[in-house]
Amino acid sequence: MSGQPKFATVGMFDGVHRGHRSLIGGLKYEASRRGMSAAVFTFDRHPLSLISPDKAPASLMCVQDKIRAIRRAGADFVEVLDFDGDLRSLSAAQFITLLRDRYGVKALMMGFNHRFGSDRLPDISDYEKIGRGLGIEIFRAGELRDHTRHEPICSSSIRKALVSGDILSANDMLGYPYRLKGSVVAGKRLGRTIGFPTANIDTGDSNLLIPGSGVYAVDVILPDGKVSRGMLNIGRRPTVDHSAEAPLSVEVHVIGWNGDLYGKEIAVMFLDRIRDERCFTDLDALKKQLSADCQAAIVAC
């Protein structure tokens, strides 16, 4: 393969969190020292979606956003590999050979806890041995630890924090506010009648992780690109939907904004969790609580 040789790394890079960006930064530095381009190989879906679909985690970021984030982190080249049966069957040696022969990879940096190949070799030394036989240098990246939890920063820890509603910890590990985006669809319009109109967000079939139920302070990216503060509810609206079978809803009140958002795409950036979702005795009690929630959202950092 012609062109500049590549110093590469491989992984899901779900969320492109602080640990990922540290890895890519180190990759960029080492690649530049050697006159190589920094290349990141990632996958179109989590391997578990093929191996064991019921255990596949929800995504922190769609593929398109992931590509953009990897490039912003310093990668010169990003390739999204189709994780199919053929790729799954490759051993570590076969996969490294594919990277060398098809993409011109001359060196490979592995994350501190990353393993690949159908044989799932147990130790970095096993990969280094394969690399020597194929003329590929193998390097091991250091881990980046969360300074509050004293644990390595990883996508699974971020998912757990989001599911529990611990937005501050999740955002700290990500290095940016967690984001959801989707199209605004019609709802019951009840919020409008009590002074708090909401936009119901449909995230589609993107498999993006939805944080745990509750009320959140968010920044809303409107269709024109402007950002407004909002309060967002995730849950089953027990005050108005008196059924445990009610569908999960994601609805946001954009504070101080009265435009029509139906059919348009918006994004919300989670800042903090305000409270649990709960059932109120009547709409007046709900309205009083929403007023308090609105003030809490305004002052959230």
Side-chain angles (χ1 to χ4, degrees):
M1 178 178 174
S2 60
Q4 191 176 29
K6 295 178 176 65
F7 198 138
T9 190
V10 179
M12 270 304 300
F13 292 95
D14 188 20
V16 194
H17 53 62
R18 287 170 49 212
H20 292 145
R21 296 198 298 279
S22 176
L23 171 62
I24 295 170
L27 175 76
K28 177 71 172 179
Y29 174 76
E30 295 296 341
S32 298
R33 287 183 59 212
R34 294 166 171 78
M36 298 180 181
S37 62
V40 174
F41 293 84
T42 187
F43 306 103
D44 63 332
R45 53 180 168 162
H46 198 284
L48 282 176
S49 66
L50 181 66
I51 299 169
S52 184
D54 59 319
K55 296 181 180 178
S59 301
L60 299 173
M61 183 179 277
C62 70
V63 173
Q64 293 78 13
D65 287 346
K66 179 166 68 170
I67 293 170
R68 286 190 285 267
I70 290 172
R71 286 175 175 158
R72 285 196 301 270
D76 302 305
F77 175 89
V78 184
E79 182 73 13
V80 179
L81 302 174
D82 181 13
F83 192 85
D84 56 14
D86 290 338
L87 191 63
R88 174 189 175 186
S89 68
L90 296 180
S91 66
Q94 290 170 327
F95 184 66
I96 295 173
T97 300
L98 180 147
L99 295 179
R100 182 195 66 183
D101 295 348
R102 183 177 297 178
Y103 298 102
V105 171
K106 300 298 183 184
L108 188 64
M109 182 175 288
M110 294 182 60
F112 76 95
N113 64 347
H114 187 231
R115 301 291 182 268
F116 58 78
S118 58
D119 41 358
R120 300 287 294 177
L121 301 176
D123 192 78
I124 184 68
S125 62
D126 298 310
Y127 293 89
E128 291 171 339
K129 182 178 179 181
I130 291 172
R132 285 192 294 271
L134 295 172
I136 304 290
E137 288 187 275
I138 305 288
F139 298 83
R140 183 177 187 175
E143 65 181 25
L144 184 66
R145 302 183 75 85
D146 176 23
H147 65 276
T148 56
R149 298 178 178 225
H150 306 292
E151 297 176 352
I153 294 175
C154 61
S155 299
S156 59
S157 294
I158 295 169
R159 293 188 195 101
K160 289 178 183 177
L162 290 170
V163 168
S164 70
D166 188 358
I167 297 299
L168 295 180
S169 291
N171 288 351
D172 182 63
M173 289 184 280
L174 285 167
Y176 60 85
Y178 183 65
R179 188 171 86 159
L180 277 180
K181 63 181 178 180
S183 298
V184 177
V185 297
K188 293 188 174 182
R189 300 178 182 262
L190 177 63
R192 191 175 302 276
T193 67
I194 58 175
F196 293 93
T198 60
N200 291 266
I201 304 172
D202 180 6
T203 60
D205 297 324
S206 60
N207 193 41
L208 286 176
L209 186 148
I210 296 177
S213 294
V215 178
Y216 296 87
V218 298
D219 275 338
V220 185
I221 305 174
L222 297 167
D224 61 3
K226 293 181 180 178
V227 179
S228 293
R229 184 57 54 91
M231 58 177 182
L232 178 141
N233 185 81
I234 297 174
R236 304 188 187 280
R237 302 183 295 187
T239 304
V240 296
D241 288 325
H242 308 288
S243 171
E245 303 301 320
L248 186 74
S249 69
V250 180
E251 51 186 334
V252 62
H253 170 68
V254 186
I255 299 170
W257 197 85
N258 295 307
D260 183 7
L261 292 172
Y262 288 113
K264 298 176 182 178
E265 185 173 275
I266 63 173
V268 292
M269 298 182 291
F270 288 78
L271 304 178
D272 202 355
R273 190 174 191 269
I274 297 173
R275 62 172 175 87
D276 292 341
E277 184 185 45
R278 62 179 184 266
C279 183
F280 294 89
T281 55
D282 53 45
L283 291 182
D284 286 338
L286 173 60
K287 183 176 179 179
K288 183 178 179 180
Q289 181 61 59
L290 290 177
S291 295
D293 294 341
C294 187
Q295 292 304 311
I298 290 171
V299 301
C301 57

